[in-house]
Amino acid sequence: MSRPENTLPPDLFYNDTEALKYTTSSRIQKIQSSMTHRALQLLQLKSPSLLLDIGCGSGLSGEILSAPSSAGTPGGPHIWIGLDISSSMLGIALEKEVEGDLFLADAGQGVPFRAGTFDAAISISAIQWLCNAESSSESASGRLSRFFNGLYASLRRGGRAVCQFYPKNDTQKTMVSSAAVRAGFGAGLLEDDPGTKNAKTYLVLTVGGGELDGDITGVVRGMEGVDVMDQRRKVKGRKRGEEIQGSKKWIIRKKEQMERKGKVVKANSKYTGRKRRIAF
Amino acid sequence: MKLLTLNFLTCAIKTCKTSPSSFPLHPQDSELEIVEADINVLFLRNMLPRLMWNELRLIVNELGLPSLPETAPDASSLLETKLQVPEGDTTGLNIEKIEVPSQVAKDLHRVLLETCIREGKLVCGNCGHEYKVMEGVANFLLPGHLV
Ligand SMILES: C[S@@+](CC[C@H](N)C(=O)[O-])C[C@H]1O[C@@H](n2cnc3c(N)ncnc32)[C@H](O)[C@@H]1O
Ligand SMILES: [Zn+2]
């Protein structure tokens, strides 16, 4: 299947015709609904919460967020606020009279809510669009960092976000998840049906503080099948025998890394990584 | 847009983020509507500690709505107990105690979740930027030079 992200910017791609086609396709409804339920399962909401839906589109996820727990929405009904860059998609959400508040907004410009607003955030099939710079004056990495920084600040301490997205390739997957880590999130990647054409990638994000105080990646790490991305883990939870920064093992590995990048490094010797005696 | 949302929304312009006058945004030329919704006391209780009460009172005044009390209600005042005859009991001998949303909760629900801005604009107190609201949807798309 071709990637719409390669054809047009999102607000032009999701025009009236495409928005209607998208929302009324029973195949799409079914897939988006199952991914929303998966994301909710990962969010583990216990009671009615205030949620942000990034790239909410016509509100296919929103309708599920508004449903009571008796209808299968954990902790529901929730109150949600949706952002989307396509007025046609939002127009359909209005026609459907979804319960959430809607904003015409570009997530790549940030998240205009005060600190600690949301209990959690959800995004289904949207954030890969952030990797396309809309105009020449912008870079994809600038858009990603504005988005994740804004999202991080707008979530309450101990809050979570789950973003299902369609990375173009591994480079893009890494670019997105490392932007989240740089914004301060504890991050993990979860793949459902990896290697098949139905593969789904979920970026699971946690904010430190609150109930999670101390170890911000603890929750993500405890989840089955989630690959923790956070770099800090190595430093924090180092086991005996693992390499220490500045040790011989570490220096050798760094040298190998630099050599691979084509840099000239000094040959290893028996003195490599030894403590230098203080000379008087 | 619910007044609840307005209690969390800030100006999107980067240089405003650090300025206290960029929150709350001030509604102008607004047309309000009431959209009825089921009351959810658990949600209200969850939101209470996060509300900026003084700013909510300010907005309510700016919109010309009846004033809110000076201090935010206490979470414990959201429910009250009611005595009632158990359903289907015709003996008239039994009575049960149930918890129901209090008037305080109903009023809060009305203001936060049912009172909505349908048309108008939201104005930043710091930079003066105007965000249009049409059919309840606010336009927060910024021209490139303001991002
Ligand atoms: C595949 S649709 C998914 C819609 C909805 N989340 C769902 O699951 O049905 C992708 C949506 O992301 C929106 N989108 C793309 N780029 C965006 C951006 N920079 N900011 C906000 N929304 C964006 C598109 O307009 C579109 O509605
Ligand atoms: Zn401003």
Side-chain angles (χ1 to χ4, degrees), chain A residues 47-50 76-81 84-85 90 94 99-106 108-109 111-119 137-138 146 150 156, chain B residues 1-5 7-12 14 17 23 37 40 42-43 46-47 50-52 113 116 122 134-144 147:
Chain A
S47 57
S49 303
L50 184 62
H78 305 290
I79 301 293
W80 57 277
I81 293 175
D84 204 282
I85 201 169
L90 293 176
L94 280 182
E99 289 176 47
D101 275 346
L102 305 171
F103 284 80
L104 182 61
D106 176 358
Q109 296 187 332
V111 178
F113 293 90
R114 63 179 167 86
T117 295
F118 300 104
D119 293 292
S137 60
E138 285 187 311
R146 259 196 306 275
R156 71 168 174 79
Chain B
M1 179 192 302
K2 303 172 183 68
L3 294 195
L4 173 80
T5 302
N7 199 250
F8 292 97
L9 194 60
T10 64
C11 182
K14 203 165 105 206
K17 279 261 163 179
F23 173 83
N40 186 337
L42 285 177
F43 178 75
N46 178 9
M47 294 314 294
R50 239 177 289 177
L51 290 177
M52 298 275 265
L113 291 134
C116 301
L122 304 172
M134 289 187 304
E135 294 185 79
V137 180
N139 182 345
F140 267 65
L141 290 175
L142 295 176
V147 178

Side-chain angles (χ1 to χ4, degrees), chain A residues 33-43 190 192 202 224:
Chain A
S33 153
S34 77
M35 293 190 291
T36 304
H37 283 293
R38 180 68 160 133
L40 278 168
Q41 189 193 7
L42 296 167
L43 286 176
L190 174 82
D192 282 348
Y202 296 82
E224 212 175 305

Side-chain angles (χ1 to χ4, degrees), chain A residues 16-254:
Chain A
D16 286 354
T17 323
E18 187 59 33
L20 190 65
K21 214 169 82 189
Y22 178 90
T23 313
T24 52
S25 152
S26 59
R27 185 184 65 88
I28 288 178
Q29 287 171 3
K30 216 170 123 203
I31 301 175
Q32 302 312 107
S33 153
S34 77
M35 293 190 291
T36 304
H37 283 293
R38 180 68 160 133
L40 278 168
Q41 189 193 7
L42 296 167
L43 286 176
Q44 297 179 5
L45 300 166
K46 302 279 185 298
S47 57
S49 303
L50 184 62
L51 307 182
L52 177 67
D53 183 348
I54 302 113
C56 62
S58 50
L60 293 178
S61 300
E63 289 173 318
I64 296 170
L65 303 179
S66 298
S69 58
S70 57
T73 296
H78 305 290
I79 301 293
W80 57 277
I81 293 175
L83 308 182
D84 204 282
I85 201 169
S86 153
S87 55
S88 303
M89 286 293 247
L90 293 176
I92 294 188
L94 280 182
E95 274 171 37
K96 290 199 298 177
E97 301 193 339
V98 297
E99 289 176 47
D101 275 346
L102 305 171
F103 284 80
L104 182 61
D106 176 358
Q109 296 187 332
V111 178
F113 293 90
R114 63 179 167 86
T117 295
F118 300 104
D119 293 292
I122 186 171
S123 178
I124 306 294
S125 316
I127 63 168
Q128 71 278 356
W129 283 99
L130 291 176
C131 298
N132 299 29
E134 299 313 338
S135 72
S136 51
S137 60
E138 285 187 311
S139 70
S141 64
R143 291 169 57 72
L144 281 168
S145 93
R146 259 196 306 275
F147 166 61
F148 282 116
N149 287 331
L151 180 64
Y152 185 84
S154 75
L155 287 167
R156 71 168 174 79
R157 303 307 91 180
R160 281 187 200 185
V162 173
C163 305
Q164 177 276 327
F165 70 114
Y166 291 114
K168 181 155 89 183
N169 48 36
D170 282 350
T171 315
Q172 201 174 76
K173 201 191 287 181
T174 310
M175 175 163 88
V176 170
S177 49
S178 56
V181 170
R182 245 177 283 126
F185 282 109
L189 277 174
L190 174 82
E191 301 259 358
D192 282 348
D193 303 322
T196 73
K197 68 178 191 332
N198 296 324
K200 298 286 181 296
T201 304
Y202 296 82
L203 179 63
V204 184
L205 304 173
T206 58
V207 179
E211 304 92 277
L212 303 178
D213 211 17
D215 185 1
I216 60 168
T217 60
V219 178
V220 198
R221 204 176 313 148
M223 287 178 184
E224 212 175 305
V226 179
D227 231 356
V228 177
M229 300 294 296
D230 192 84
Q231 298 306 309
R232 276 158 294 199
R233 185 163 75 119
K234 288 202 189 92
V235 184
K236 254 196 150 172
R238 190 178 43 233
K239 289 199 209 80
R240 215 181 327 174
E242 271 181 57
E243 65 185 43
I244 293 166
Q245 193 169 21
S247 68
K248 179 161 182 173
K249 208 170 150 199
W250 180 85
I251 293 173
I252 292 174
R253 188 172 55 82
K254 283 285 165 196

